[in-house]
Amino acid sequence: MNKFLKIILIVTINIFILVLCLFISDIIIYKHNADIFYKTNSKVYNLSKFTYQLKPKFAFDLNAIFNGTDNVYNGRLPDGTEYYDKIPITIFGCSFAHGQYLDYNQTFSYKLAHSLKRPVYNRAIPGKGLQHMLLQSRSKQFYNDVPPSDTVFYIMIKDHYKRMKVNYLHILDTYQLGNYEKKNNKLAAINYNNPLLNLLRSCYTFKLLKTKYTDAYIHNPKNADKLTDEVLLYFIETRKELEKHWNTKVKFVILGYYHIPYWDLLKSKLEQNDFIVYSINNDITAIDLYNTEGYTISETDKHPNEKAWNLITPLVIEKLNLNK
């Protein structure tokens, strides 16, 4: 072997060792923070096995959503189950739809259930968005938990654009989101079974987050079509899964909460695909609930409070003729 090839080989080996060390240290740091978080805050996940981090997949326990409690970590219990003979409603979204910081009887799902006297299954997850809606719609466990619904709500906020990609190794957010990729105009869950590919995908996703899923990228009008097309695909794929498993047509309602970039464009695309779309702060009520005093948890925390849901719920029911 000549001198040049030896140098190339030595450099290649050293790069491989460096990358491997970074990969292992990343896993150890991530696992350490995850263990601390779950020992002190929640019992939803079990990250004690090292191999679990090598195969992250979706680190989200669907079995734990309805586990006999009702809080931010485990998700909301079904509301209105006493009306078992009526057709249920299902809700997806993030902390806004979930009712973070609110008692169970202050939430949109509770008020909707008891206004309509119908069961309402609140499957919104704080800090999440479109991926967990699609993930649940493709999960057998979801259909064991949630009976066929004729109406589905998704409450959207502007952050859901940014949450369409999450880097599972480079963040300390222990609610891992899996990522989907577009194949043949469909969304396919990325396979996380190969540790080396995981590292490469993690680096690639990290680059995407630094370039394409930032506020600057999202607010650049040049990216409007691409972003809204991606959001649209999540809704189309989710509805397809729901209707296939429930064997029924679904009235799918998207409620936009406050200002969402390219809302008019997104609304137009959704409506062309038979989704029902309203802006809560324009179509449902003329009040700017996001910025009006008394309708949020606090001046700094813009989550809707009970007063906001007391106003919104009957107006949504009337708008959609849900009483009929």
Side-chain angles (χ1 to χ4, degrees):
M1 184 181 296
N2 61 39
K3 186 177 180 181
F4 178 74
L5 288 177
K6 285 183 179 179
I7 293 173
I8 294 295
L9 181 61
I10 291 170
V11 170
T12 302
I13 291 172
N14 278 280
I15 291 175
F16 176 78
I17 291 172
L18 176 62
V19 170
L20 185 62
C21 289
L22 289 172
F23 179 50
I24 292 173
S25 64
D26 204 359
I27 291 172
I28 292 171
I29 292 170
Y30 188 99
K31 180 181 180 301
H32 173 71
N33 282 276
D35 285 345
I36 290 175
F37 181 88
Y38 289 114
K39 284 176 182 176
T40 56
N41 291 282
S42 174
K43 297 180 180 178
V44 176
Y45 308 112
N46 177 9
L47 299 181
S48 60
K49 295 182 180 179
F50 181 76
T51 53
Y52 195 83
Q53 288 301 320
L54 290 176
K55 295 183 178 182
K57 296 185 179 179
F58 290 93
F60 182 79
D61 186 358
L62 291 169
N63 293 297
I65 294 182
F66 300 148
N67 68 348
T69 63
D70 188 90
N71 59 49
V72 65
Y73 300 111
N74 298 326
R76 295 291 181 187
L77 292 168
D79 293 295
T81 51
E82 60 267 41
Y83 314 117
Y84 63 89
D85 58 328
K86 300 292 181 64
I87 299 173
I89 291 171
T90 298
I91 297 174
F92 292 111
C94 63
S95 54
F96 277 54
H98 173 276
Q100 190 169 353
Y101 311 118
L102 301 179
D103 292 335
Y104 77 98
N105 60 349
Q106 298 177 312
T107 63
F108 176 48
S109 50
Y110 179 89
K111 295 180 184 300
L112 194 62
H114 291 279
S115 295
L116 295 174
K117 299 191 182 330
R118 292 174 61 180
V120 175
Y121 288 78
N122 189 337
R123 300 302 294 244
I125 309 297
K128 301 299 164 284
L130 297 157
Q131 283 105 325
H132 274 83
M133 174 182 67
L134 181 57
L135 167 64
Q136 291 187 73
S137 75
R138 291 179 172 179
S139 164
K140 180 181 177 182
Q141 181 60 47
F142 173 82
Y143 299 101
N144 290 337
D145 290 337
V146 183
S149 305
D150 67 351
T151 305
V152 171
F153 283 95
Y154 184 92
I155 297 176
M156 184 173 179
I157 63 172
K158 62 181 180 179
D159 287 351
H160 294 178
Y161 281 122
K162 293 193 288 186
R163 293 175 188 171
M164 287 192 290
K165 288 287 182 293
V166 171
N167 202 28
Y168 56 88
L169 286 176
H170 288 274
I171 58 172
L172 299 181
D173 177 7
T174 42
Y175 294 106
Q176 291 172 324
L177 273 171
N179 293 319
Y180 288 90
E181 55 188 353
K182 188 175 178 180
K183 290 184 177 179
N184 300 320
N185 206 34
K186 294 182 179 180
L187 290 169
I190 294 175
N191 188 328
Y192 290 125
N193 288 327
N194 186 313
L196 180 58
L197 286 179
N198 283 347
L199 175 62
L200 297 176
R201 286 196 179 104
S202 181
C203 293
Y204 175 69
T205 307
F206 187 64
K207 181 182 177 182
L208 284 180
L209 288 169
K210 291 292 186 183
T211 56
K212 290 192 175 182
Y213 292 89
T214 63
D215 284 327
Y217 182 87
I218 288 167
H219 288 283
N220 186 339
K222 293 180 180 178
N223 304 315
D225 258 326
K226 188 176 293 185
L227 286 166
T228 52
D229 281 347
E230 191 170 354
V231 172
L232 173 64
L233 196 52
Y234 273 100
F235 286 120
I236 288 174
E237 290 288 296
T238 298
R239 182 175 61 186
K240 189 183 301 181
E241 293 288 343
L242 295 175
E243 291 185 344
K244 178 179 72 176
H245 288 87
W246 283 339
N247 194 29
T248 185
K249 292 291 290 183
V250 170
K251 179 189 289 185
F252 207 122
V253 184
I254 293 105
L255 298 177
Y257 208 103
Y258 189 50
H259 172 68
I260 297 172
Y262 320 120
W263 177 252
D264 289 340
L265 177 61
L266 178 60
K267 184 175 188 288
S268 174
K269 290 181 179 181
L270 287 164
E271 289 178 338
Q272 288 172 26
N273 285 274
D274 298 322
F275 291 94
I276 300 168
V277 189
Y278 294 118
S279 166
I280 287 176
N281 292 285
N282 292 316
D283 303 320
I284 303 300
T285 172
I287 301 173
D288 180 357
L289 299 176
Y290 193 80
N291 291 311
T292 303
E293 184 178 355
Y295 289 99
T296 60
I297 297 297
S298 69
E299 288 185 8
T300 55
D301 191 328
K302 298 296 188 176
H303 284 78
N305 61 15
E306 184 180 17
K307 183 179 178 181
W309 292 123
N310 280 339
L311 174 65
I312 294 167
T313 307
L315 295 175
V316 167
I317 290 171
E318 181 181 2
K319 193 85 171 179
L320 295 170
N321 293 317
L322 292 177
N323 272 320
K324 294 183 179 179

